Amino acid sequence: MDDNIQWRINHADELGQDYVHNASPGVANNPDIIERSQVRLEGPKTLRDNIFDKPTSLEADRHSTKRPRTETTRSGMSYPRKRAVRACQLCRTRKTKCNNVRPICGACSQIGAHCVFEDSLDHSSFDPASLIMLERLNQIINTLNTHLVPGPVSGQHQQGSDTFLSVVQEQIQDESMWNGISPDPVGHNHAPDGEANHCTGDQHTASQYSTNDQDGLSSSEYLHIPACRTSPGKILQWPIFEAEYPANCLDESFVLSSEASADQGPTDGPCRSSWKSNGGRSSHGSFGVQEEEIEGLIEDFLAGVHIKNPILHPDSLRLYARNVAENGPQWDSKTCLVYLTCSLGCLVQSFQSKDFRPADSADPHETTSVKQDCQNLRHAEAYYNLARKRIGLLLPSIMTAHCYFFSGVYLMYVMQPLQAWNNFYQASTLCHMCLQSREPLTNERTIRLEQCLYWSCFKSECEMRGELPLPVSALGTIEYPHLFPNPPEVSSPATEARLGPGESSGDSSSPAVSTPYSRRQESLASYSESWFYYLTEIALRRIGNRILNTFFKEDSSSWLNVPIPAIINVAKKFEIEIKQRVDRLPDSLRYDQQDLRIRPEGELPYVIRARVVEIRSWICRPFLFYAVYQPADDPNQRLIRGFVHDSLELSFCVIESVAHRHRHHGTWYALRSGTSAAFRIIAAVKCGHLEVPLGWKQVILKHISTLKYWEMESLDFAKARVILEELLKEVGVGSE
């Protein structure tokens, strides 16, 4: 037996050749049979293993149809996937769809931009183990970059300044961002030389807002602004105040309720007890909801609230209100929306000059906002409580998102920012769900409804995140294709004459549901102005977000080691862009740009001026911080003198603009902005080497009086007033 095996080993090649040679022609000419019959000798050990492992005849017949085993290489183990298509640099930056046409894609060809494709390393030929190792290495690198442990104070300054410097350099080098900016035709005090080659932007027509936007960023990137960078508490952390107050000393409104007060409603609290009803009775015990007043409150809402956020169809809202008044309330979204808008209609106040009368802080009988508006607050609460009973029962929809949004607006009216944020966040989440879970819309009215809801939620989130360390909602995860909402077509007088009484032209701008003729004409006249204001607010919000992402990515200490000429260049370009946006306003929304202390007559131009002043103060804040921190003989003090002067003048203007008793959606934001301005003025006074404009003491005292008027509705305002009085004593000024 052993000799037989040894003979087979020594004559294996000959046996295989004889088998093939003596086989039938069909077998001899079959390459598959020949390949399986031949034994490739790699050594005695391999052949011995093959002989000993040789299956029996039955096993050979059963497995004769098995697929032959082939040798696998590392390149053959790669993932069977196609190479990912990579967009060009510009389309990736704008987050728009790229058709990948080389050498110039369709989007770049349309706007005449330079198209650059980055050829990335093709990982498709790597084996799975190598791909896993590369992925793990990328994760480790990202983790190290995200969780760097800061060093000493000096190291923090250098790290922050490097990041801020890179942002500034990127802004300077990205010339495409400023393509829509033209030079100031009459000269601007910050306008740089040699700006004459910039092309002019759009004219002041509402439709061109949506086509000539040159921001260069996607809507999702606009929402990712630095959180809690413009709050008053950040000013108190400047070194000039010597860390006397904690960073969250003015955030009393954002502390979650303890167990003792967890059962209180969103409008409950110690500051509102004076206008709450007594004895556990519902607040609408004495202010019953009367059906005959609903339609009038809806008109007050449209004239005072909807004009600043035109996200509803007025005709549809009037029909919902009439149905509730005639047939009674239901447990649906339409009734909920009617009650919410009625609650806001109860709080609407006309914008009058008497609201700016100076308050006497020394008068113990001086009225407060709670005493002044007690009846309106209780009346509005009656409607809001009815809406609250319904809003939790509603199914996800666009109308439910509207209900949550206007619930947040109401809570901002009554100075409840934390609860308002919760409602804005719910509205944003529902808006995101509706955008992601349905087919593209074709109805023009519904598309406009969706666009306006998105941008109103966007603006509300940005305003809240500027004051609070809050997360980004679901809207920050999508790429919204519409840079601006499409304005509706306003019915012309000829169209109104052609249509009969009570008929509508089919668009949301025609108030044709049994509205008095005089009020209809007033509504039509203000609708165009409302949309100009709304589009301008969105444009200014986008510019403001770019400024925040440029100057406020890092802590204020990062402003100290940045090259001053570079940051001046970026600041000048931002100011030119803001001025051009304001120059395109229609006459009804214009204000005096030369003297910002001249108060506009109407509410909408007044709000636009306040927004522009706030954004410009963001631009000037790094220069004021640098001037306060550095000594008077610093060589850069001369370069930034103009910006420092503007920062103080803008602070004066902010305080003057918020010194009123007019309740609106942005009252809470305005008072916080005025407090920040007061802190900046005191910082300039404390440093001792800056020239502060005359009358700064009276301005600070005026803001203290304003805070005293509103402090019964928010603990933050009472705390801010106390801090201002203490700081005035430190600089030798009494609060009396």
Side-chain angles (χ1 to χ4, degrees):
M1 181 66 181
D2 294 339
D3 296 340
N4 188 18
I5 292 175
Q6 186 63 36
W7 184 86
R8 286 174 176 272
I9 293 174
N10 296 334
H11 298 81
D13 290 340
E14 298 176 3
L15 289 174
Q17 293 173 1
D18 292 341
Y19 171 77
V20 175
H21 178 73
N22 297 325
S24 61
V27 174
N29 295 330
N30 193 326
D32 293 336
I33 298 178
I34 294 175
E35 182 179 358
R36 288 198 300 269
S37 63
Q38 289 181 338
V39 179
R40 301 186 181 278
L41 184 61
E42 297 180 3
K45 182 178 179 181
T46 303
L47 182 58
R48 185 180 293 110
D49 293 339
N50 289 334
I51 294 174
F52 288 150
D53 294 338
K54 183 177 180 181
T56 62
S57 59
L58 292 176
E59 293 175 345
D61 294 336
R62 185 168 61 252
H63 298 292
S64 61
T65 59
K66 288 183 64 177
R67 184 177 180 180
R69 189 174 181 178
T70 58
E71 184 179 359
T72 305
T73 62
R74 291 178 65 86
S75 61
M77 294 177 64
S78 61
Y79 288 118
R81 60 191 180 97
K82 296 181 180 180
R83 180 178 179 180
V85 179
R86 193 175 184 87
C88 69
Q89 290 182 354
L90 183 59
C91 291
R92 289 181 62 200
T93 302
R94 296 175 61 90
K95 290 193 175 181
T96 56
K97 185 174 181 60
C98 181
N99 60 7
N100 296 100
V101 176
R102 306 291 182 101
I104 302 177
C105 70
C108 294
S109 176
Q110 185 177 1
I111 64 176
H114 181 59
C115 188
V116 178
F117 285 91
E118 292 182 355
D119 293 327
S120 60
L121 180 62
D122 185 8
H123 297 288
S124 59
S125 60
F126 282 71
D127 61 87
S130 299
L131 292 174
I132 293 175
M133 286 188 290
L134 289 174
E135 182 180 1
R136 290 294 299 161
L137 286 174
N138 290 331
Q139 293 177 358
I140 293 172
I141 294 173
N142 293 334
T143 303
L144 291 175
N145 291 335
T146 306
H147 298 87
L148 288 175
V149 179
V153 177
S154 61
Q156 289 181 7
H157 289 183
Q158 186 64 35
Q159 177 185 349
S161 63
D162 289 343
T163 305
F164 181 40
L165 176 60
S166 63
V167 174
V168 172
Q169 290 175 343
E170 181 181 353
Q171 297 276 18
I172 295 175
Q173 294 173 0
D174 187 10
E175 294 297 334
S176 63
M177 180 181 298
W178 315 101
N179 287 341
I181 305 175
S182 62
D184 184 3
V186 296
H188 191 264
N189 59 339
H190 289 322
D193 298 332
E195 297 286 344
N197 292 329
H198 289 296
C199 62
T200 58
D202 52 345
Q203 304 300 321
H204 66 271
T205 58
S207 60
Q208 290 177 330
Y209 275 90
S210 60
T211 57
N212 292 334
D213 180 69
Q214 298 292 336
D215 290 340
L217 296 174
S218 69
S219 57
S220 60
E221 289 173 321
Y222 281 127
L223 196 54
H224 294 131
I225 63 174
C228 197
R229 293 293 185 183
T230 60
S231 63
K234 291 297 181 181
I235 307 295
L236 292 178
Q237 302 309 302
W238 287 10
I240 194 68
F241 295 107
E242 301 176 348
E244 185 176 356
Y245 303 97
N248 60 346
C249 63
L250 296 178
D251 294 342
E252 296 289 341
S253 297
F254 319 123
V255 179
L256 295 178
S257 301
S258 61
E259 293 183 2
S261 60
D263 57 343
Q264 294 178 341
T267 58
D268 294 340
C271 294
R272 283 158 295 282
S273 59
S274 59
W275 59 270
K276 293 287 291 180
S277 57
N278 299 322
R281 185 181 58 179
S282 174
S283 63
H284 56 273
S286 58
F287 283 94
V289 174
Q290 301 177 6
E291 287 77 6
E292 60 270 15
E293 69 177 1
I294 288 180
E295 293 188 66
L297 292 175
I298 292 296
E299 294 301 328
D300 292 336
F301 164 82
L302 293 174
V305 179
H306 186 261
I307 193 174
K308 295 189 281 288
N309 275 293
I311 69 174
L312 297 177
H313 292 151
D315 286 353
S316 300
L317 182 61
R318 291 186 177 98
L319 288 174
Y320 302 156
R322 166 167 287 190
N323 185 60
V324 172
E326 294 180 353
N327 304 321
Q330 305 296 323
W331 292 90
D332 57 1
S333 57
K334 297 178 181 178
T335 301
C336 182
L337 184 62
V338 168
Y339 281 148
L340 285 170
T341 52
C342 285
S343 67
L344 289 168
C346 295
L347 298 176
V348 167
Q349 300 175 351
S350 59
F351 186 80
Q352 300 176 359
S353 299
K354 66 179 183 180
D355 294 328
F356 292 86
R357 62 187 184 277
D360 186 4
S361 59
D363 185 4
H365 303 290
E366 178 67 24
T367 185
T368 63
S369 62
V370 171
K371 296 178 182 178
Q372 185 74 20
D373 302 332
C374 180
Q375 301 297 319
N376 292 336
L377 290 171
R378 295 177 64 187
H379 195 189
E381 188 192 21
Y383 284 98
Y384 183 71
N385 285 338
L386 293 175
R388 281 179 59 200
K389 296 178 181 179
R390 290 164 170 79
I391 195 169
L393 305 176
L394 304 181
L395 297 177
S397 65
I398 288 289
M399 188 172 293
T400 303
H402 284 146
C403 292
Y404 275 107
F405 176 80
F406 284 113
S407 176
V409 173
Y410 169 84
L411 291 169
M412 290 304 300
Y413 263 84
V414 297
M415 310 293 180
Q416 292 292 291
L418 185 60
Q419 289 83 357
W421 162 256
N422 184 30
N423 283 267
F424 288 141
Y425 197 91
Q426 291 285 346
S428 298
T429 302
L430 289 174
C431 180
H432 174 265
M433 292 174 58
C434 294
L435 290 173
Q436 297 295 314
S437 60
R438 50 119 183 99
E439 296 296 328
L441 299 175
T442 57
N443 184 274
E444 211 173 296
R445 286 166 58 101
T446 308
I447 292 175
R448 185 181 305 111
L449 201 72
E450 174 195 280
Q451 293 173 346
C452 294
L453 175 63
Y454 173 88
W455 285 111
S456 291
C457 292
F458 166 84
K459 293 196 300 121
S460 299
E461 282 203 31
C462 292
E463 291 170 347
M464 297 294 289
R465 279 177 51 79
E467 297 290 334
L468 303 174
L470 296 170
V472 179
S473 75
L475 290 183
T477 64
I478 62 174
E479 298 179 26
Y480 196 63
H482 307 285
L483 296 178
F484 289 94
N486 297 323
E489 295 181 1
V490 180
S491 301
S492 62
T495 304
E496 291 293 316
R498 185 175 67 255
L499 295 172
E503 296 184 53
S504 174
S505 61
D507 208 345
S508 61
S509 61
S510 178
V513 184
S514 297
T515 308
Y517 179 78
S518 59
R519 203 157 192 174
R520 288 177 61 187
Q521 296 304 313
E522 181 182 353
S523 178
L524 288 172
S526 63
Y527 206 78
S528 177
E529 180 180 343
S530 171
W531 266 93
F532 272 118
Y533 163 81
Y534 187 58
L535 296 173
T536 302
E537 269 281 291
I538 295 175
L540 292 176
R541 184 72 256 178
R542 294 164 70 91
I543 297 174
N545 285 6
R546 282 173 40 211
I547 293 172
L548 293 177
N549 281 315
T550 301
F551 295 108
F552 293 86
K553 279 278 190 180
E554 302 293 329
D555 193 72
S556 56
S557 58
S558 65
W559 296 332
L560 295 176
N561 299 320
V562 177
I564 292 299
I567 190 175
I568 287 177
N569 188 23
V570 175
K572 288 179 178 180
K573 290 184 176 181
F574 274 127
E575 290 220 340
I576 295 174
E577 186 175 2
I578 294 172
K579 188 176 186 303
Q580 284 193 316
R581 181 65 66 180
V582 174
D583 288 340
R584 300 180 191 130
L585 292 173
D587 294 337
S588 59
L589 297 179
R590 289 182 180 272
Y591 61 89
D592 192 336
Q593 299 187 55
Q594 302 301 323
D595 188 357
L596 293 177
R597 299 195 184 188
I598 298 178
R599 188 182 305 117
E601 293 296 330
E603 182 178 8
L604 296 185
Y606 170 82
V607 177
I608 290 178
R609 186 197 66 158
R611 178 72 70 190
V612 171
V613 169
E614 179 188 34
I615 294 176
R616 289 188 58 199
S617 69
W618 295 344
I619 298 175
C620 299
R621 186 177 300 186
F623 302 103
L624 179 63
F625 176 84
Y626 188 95
V628 169
Y629 188 87
Q630 298 292 1
D633 57 352
D634 186 275
N636 290 322
Q637 292 280 11
R638 182 181 59 83
L639 297 176
I640 65 176
R641 186 177 302 163
F643 285 99
V644 173
H645 177 268
D646 284 356
S647 178
L648 295 175
E649 287 290 343
L650 292 170
S651 299
F652 275 55
C653 184
V654 169
I655 294 177
E656 292 284 352
S657 65
V658 303
H660 59 76
R661 304 181 181 188
H662 176 68
R663 185 185 297 272
H664 56 90
H665 177 189
T667 300
W668 182 83
Y669 302 111
L671 293 174
R672 299 264 297 186
S673 179
T675 303
S676 296
F679 289 157
R680 293 195 298 270
I681 294 174
I682 294 179
V685 173
K686 290 190 69 173
C687 78
H689 61 263
L690 293 181
E691 183 179 352
V692 183
L694 298 176
W696 65 268
K697 301 176 185 178
Q698 290 73 19
V699 170
I700 300 295
L701 292 175
K702 177 181 289 189
H703 188 65
I704 290 176
S705 298
T706 304
L707 292 175
K708 192 173 183 179
Y709 176 79
W710 294 98
E711 67 182 8
M712 287 297 294
E713 298 192 50
S714 177
L715 296 175
D716 301 339
F717 302 151
K719 182 66 174 178
R721 177 182 61 82
V722 172
I723 294 177
L724 281 174
E725 291 174 349
E726 293 175 353
L727 292 175
L728 281 180
K729 292 179 180 179
E730 292 181 9
V731 296
V733 179
S735 59
E736 299 297 336

CSV table of all heavy atoms in Angstrom, one decimal, residues 6 102 120 188 199 289 319 435 635:
chain,number,residue,atom,x,y,z
A,6,GLN,N,3.5,5.9,-2.9
A,6,GLN,CA,4.8,6.5,-3.3
A,6,GLN,C,4.9,6.6,-4.8
A,6,GLN,O,5.4,7.6,-5.3
A,6,GLN,CB,6.0,5.8,-2.6
A,6,GLN,CG,7.3,6.5,-2.8
A,6,GLN,CD,7.3,7.9,-2.2
A,6,GLN,OE1,6.8,8.1,-1.1
A,6,GLN,NE2,8.0,8.9,-2.9
A,102,ARG,N,-18.1,68.9,-17.3
A,102,ARG,CA,-16.7,69.4,-17.4
A,102,ARG,C,-16.5,70.1,-18.7
A,102,ARG,O,-17.0,69.7,-19.7
A,102,ARG,CB,-15.7,68.2,-17.2
A,102,ARG,CG,-15.9,67.3,-16.0
A,102,ARG,CD,-15.6,68.1,-14.7
A,102,ARG,NE,-15.8,67.2,-13.5
A,102,ARG,CZ,-14.8,66.6,-12.9
A,102,ARG,NH1,-13.5,66.8,-13.3
A,102,ARG,NH2,-15.0,65.8,-11.9
A,120,SER,N,-10.8,63.9,-6.1
A,120,SER,CA,-10.5,63.3,-4.8
A,120,SER,C,-9.9,61.9,-5.0
A,120,SER,O,-10.0,61.3,-6.1
A,120,SER,CB,-11.7,63.2,-3.9
A,120,SER,OG,-12.7,62.4,-4.6
A,188,HIS,N,-19.8,107.3,1.8
A,188,HIS,CA,-20.1,106.7,3.1
A,188,HIS,C,-18.8,106.9,4.0
A,188,HIS,O,-17.7,106.8,3.5
A,188,HIS,CB,-20.5,105.3,3.0
A,188,HIS,CG,-21.0,104.7,4.2
A,188,HIS,ND1,-20.3,104.0,5.1
A,188,HIS,CD2,-22.3,104.7,4.7
A,188,HIS,CE1,-21.1,103.6,6.1
A,188,HIS,NE2,-22.3,104.0,5.9
A,199,CYS,N,-20.8,95.8,-9.3
A,199,CYS,CA,-22.0,96.0,-10.0
A,199,CYS,C,-23.2,96.4,-9.1
A,199,CYS,O,-23.2,96.1,-7.9
A,199,CYS,CB,-22.4,94.7,-10.8
A,199,CYS,SG,-22.7,93.3,-9.7
A,289,VAL,N,-65.5,84.9,26.4
A,289,VAL,CA,-65.3,85.0,24.9
A,289,VAL,C,-66.6,85.2,24.3
A,289,VAL,O,-67.6,84.4,24.4
A,289,VAL,CB,-64.7,83.6,24.4
A,289,VAL,CG1,-64.6,83.6,22.9
A,289,VAL,CG2,-63.3,83.5,25.1
A,319,LEU,N,-62.7,83.6,7.0
A,319,LEU,CA,-63.7,82.6,6.8
A,319,LEU,C,-63.8,81.7,8.1
A,319,LEU,O,-64.8,81.3,8.6
A,319,LEU,CB,-63.5,81.7,5.6
A,319,LEU,CG,-63.8,82.4,4.2
A,319,LEU,CD1,-63.3,81.6,3.1
A,319,LEU,CD2,-65.2,82.8,4.1
A,435,LEU,N,-42.1,69.5,4.9
A,435,LEU,CA,-41.3,69.6,3.7
A,435,LEU,C,-40.7,68.3,3.3
A,435,LEU,O,-40.4,68.1,2.1
A,435,LEU,CB,-40.1,70.6,4.1
A,435,LEU,CG,-40.5,72.1,4.3
A,435,LEU,CD1,-39.3,72.9,4.8
A,435,LEU,CD2,-41.0,72.7,3.0
A,635,PRO,N,-1.0,101.9,18.6
A,635,PRO,CA,-1.0,102.5,17.3
A,635,PRO,C,-2.3,102.2,16.5
A,635,PRO,O,-2.6,103.0,15.6
A,635,PRO,CB,0.2,101.8,16.6
A,635,PRO,CG,0.5,100.6,17.4
A,635,PRO,CD,0.1,100.9,18.8
